[in-house]
Amino acid sequence: GSALTFNGNLAGSGSLVKIGAGTNVIATGITASYTGGTTISNGVLVVNGSLSGAVTVAGGATLGGKGTASGAVTVQGGSLAPGDITSATPGVMTLGSLTMNAGSAVFHLSSSAASGNDQVAVSGGLTFSGISTLQIAPLAFMNVGDVYTLFTYTGTALPSTVTNNLQVTAPTGFAFSIVDPATTPGAIKIHVDKAIGNELWTGQSSSTWDTSAINWNRNSTATAFNNGDYVNFDDSTLVTNVNLSGALQ
């Protein structure tokens, strides 16, 4: 499908229905303030500017971008793609309220849980029904044990049972679990259970290379080796004789 970018403000009493497989973009700095609401029935609508009114995202369609949709957003089997989806640059999508009904959302995550990640910021309530899929797309190596925030919201705190409405998918070598929402009011977070790392040998605790000794450095953090990680050796350590122990992969 073709792409269309709105570089001028949109106003009036009408509505917008996105059809066709192409991508439409409300550009950065552009305001779409028509009062009739927006339906994305196919293809992709990218909001890098601002959009008011209710938004419905149908199955097979996507709402993306790093701008603001200040109304009530309902993902009815469709998908969210926060950030700059044209360049896969992470960013924050801001929504008035959000209902996910058997929808999905794609999050590009960096090696740092503190910055450089996709996120959906909901200024009102967040609701899940059916089973929605959170698709994690790592941009780099990650640290097992890190916790990433995918959604923030200001409405009623979600209970533990909302995990029954969510599933997390990830590429080979990575695994994530949802942190109990009852313990993180105002946020939906995931825990890195398994990740491909990129370690530098330090030998700080011993000369043993196994899966328990803290003899590696990953992203400036002392760590143990996980099977499947990439490893590096340089001249920064005096421990140059390395003894392999156990089943290493």
Side-chain angles (χ1 to χ4, degrees), residues 5-32:
T5 298
F6 298 104
N7 289 312
N9 293 334
L10 304 173
S13 58
S15 60
L16 185 148
V17 178
K18 167 70 177 72
I19 60 175
T23 298
N24 294 160
V25 181
I26 298 175
T28 301
I30 299 303
T31 298

Side-chain angles (χ1 to χ4, degrees), residues 1-6 10 14-26 32 34 36-47 51 54-64 74 78-79 85:
S2 58
L4 173 65
T5 298
F6 298 104
L10 304 173
S15 60
L16 185 148
V17 178
K18 167 70 177 72
I19 60 175
T23 298
N24 294 160
V25 181
I26 298 175
Y34 49 85
T38 300
T39 299
I40 311 170
S41 62
N42 204 348
V44 180
L45 177 63
V46 177
V47 179
L51 171 64
V55 179
T56 300
V57 187
T62 299
L63 172 63
T74 301
S79 181
I85 67 174

Side-chain angles (χ1 to χ4, degrees), residues 202-216:
T202 63
Q204 70 179 56
S205 66
S206 69
S207 61
T208 300
W209 177 358
D210 58 14
T211 57
S212 61
I214 308 299
N215 281 326
W216 303 86

